[in-house]
Amino acid sequence: MGSQGSLGRESFLLLTVLVSEMVLTPTLAIHVYTDREVHGRVGSKVKLSCTFWSREWISDDISITWHFQSEYGRDSISIFHYAKGQPYIDDVGTFKDRISWVGDPSWKDGSIVIYNLDYTDNGTFTCDVKNPPDIVGKTSQVTLYVFENVPVRYGVVLGATIGGVLAVVLVVLVIVYLIRYCWLRRQATLQRRLSAMEKGKLRLGKDSSKRGRQTPVLYAMLDHSRLTKSASEKKSKGGLGDSRKDRK
């Protein structure tokens, strides 16, 4: 009885461990990413990008599947499948001969290209990737809108607006810089002219002072010469008078 009880307990503990391992061990999950929406023009082509992330190495058994649900339909149909290293493209439905495989699983890329777009291509495309043993995960969906002329997206408009504002600000800054540069250059030129004029005035003042000092000397020399001349004239006149007296 004791041995049977111990075996029962061991079996119960083993079962508990197995259940806990299955429940508590996190399940590997693969993550798939696509754009939220894509715009295309009638008659053109569009690329539906699909990338994924997996904890496991890329397996030879990896599979990638694209499904399509029309804008006005309820059913989802398979339009592309990749398995065992080979792409399998729909050759019966509306996408016959209009799909091209451009992905590479080794780079975790499962993208496709759809050619010759039409209004009937409006709808939701779903990318599903399985990389055994990493097979649990959510799919990713992208909505395709086909137009006669592709509308300008809000992001493009916003980017253009921001770019225009930045360009205007840059032009204003350049103009302000040029104005300031010209003003500083003019001020420097005026300062040089003023300094040159001040130096010229100083030189004129020195020259005039020198001339002022020389003028009295000249006048004195002239007066002295006049006095000497008048004295000589008087002597000559006196000599003539004496000679006349002697003759008498």
Side-chain angles (χ1 to χ4, degrees):
M1 294 292 293
S3 61
Q4 292 180 355
S6 61
L7 289 175
R9 290 177 183 178
E10 291 177 359
S11 300
F12 177 78
L13 290 175
L14 180 60
L15 180 61
T16 303
V17 170
L18 291 175
V19 172
S20 63
E21 287 290 331
M22 295 177 60
V23 174
L24 298 179
T25 301
T27 305
L28 297 179
I30 191 168
H31 301 275
V32 183
Y33 307 96
T34 60
D35 297 324
R36 298 184 66 178
E37 64 180 45
V38 175
H39 295 170
R41 184 169 52 86
V42 174
S44 66
K45 65 179 180 179
V46 67
K47 179 180 179 181
L48 301 181
S49 299
C50 176
T51 58
F52 60 92
W53 179 86
S54 176
R55 297 181 182 180
E56 297 293 327
W57 291 98
I58 303 302
S59 171
D60 293 335
D61 296 327
I62 187 173
S63 64
I64 302 172
T65 305
W66 279 91
H67 298 272
F68 170 70
Q69 183 178 355
S70 176
E71 182 180 12
Y72 302 103
R74 295 182 178 180
D75 298 329
S76 178
I77 60 174
S78 176
I79 61 174
F80 175 84
H81 185 69
Y82 177 92
K84 301 295 182 180
Q86 294 294 328
Y88 299 92
I89 302 174
D90 176 33
D91 57 355
V92 177
T94 58
F95 294 96
K96 179 182 178 179
D97 300 328
R98 294 198 298 130
I99 296 180
S100 176
W101 165 248
V102 294
D104 187 351
S106 62
W107 290 94
K108 300 179 180 180
D109 184 5
S111 304
I112 61 174
V113 174
I114 300 178
Y115 297 88
N116 194 19
L117 292 176
D118 194 28
Y119 293 114
T120 56
D121 298 332
N122 284 315
T124 302
F125 293 80
T126 304
C127 181
D128 186 15
V129 182
K130 306 294 184 185
N131 183 37
D134 196 356
I135 60 175
V136 179
K138 293 183 178 180
T139 60
S140 185
Q141 296 180 341
V142 53
T143 303
L144 173 63
Y145 297 97
V146 181
F147 301 92
E148 182 65 28
N149 294 313
V150 178
V152 180
R153 294 184 178 181
Y154 174 76
V156 176
V157 175
L158 181 61
T161 303
I162 295 175
V165 172
L166 291 177
V168 172
V169 171
L170 181 62
V171 171
V172 171
L173 291 176
V174 171
I175 293 174
V176 171
Y177 173 78
L178 291 175
I179 293 174
R180 180 175 176 80
Y181 173 77
C182 294
W183 182 80
L184 291 175
R185 188 173 181 180
R186 185 176 181 183
Q187 292 295 321
T189 304
L190 292 175
Q191 188 68 28
R192 286 196 297 269
R193 289 180 180 178
L194 290 174
S195 61
M197 291 175 65
E198 291 178 357
K199 291 180 180 180
K201 289 181 179 180
L202 291 174
R203 289 178 182 176
L204 290 174
K206 291 180 180 179
D207 295 339
S208 61
S209 63
K210 289 180 180 180
R211 292 174 183 174
R213 292 176 182 176
Q214 293 175 357
T215 300
V217 176
L218 292 174
Y219 286 145
M221 294 175 65
L222 290 173
D223 292 339
H224 180 69
S225 62
R226 288 176 183 176
L227 291 173
T228 305
K229 187 176 181 181
S230 60
S232 61
E233 287 178 354
K234 288 180 180 181
K235 288 181 180 180
S236 62
K237 288 180 181 181
L240 290 175
D242 293 337
S243 62
R244 288 178 183 176
K245 289 180 181 180
D246 292 337
R247 287 177 183 177
K248 289 181 178 182

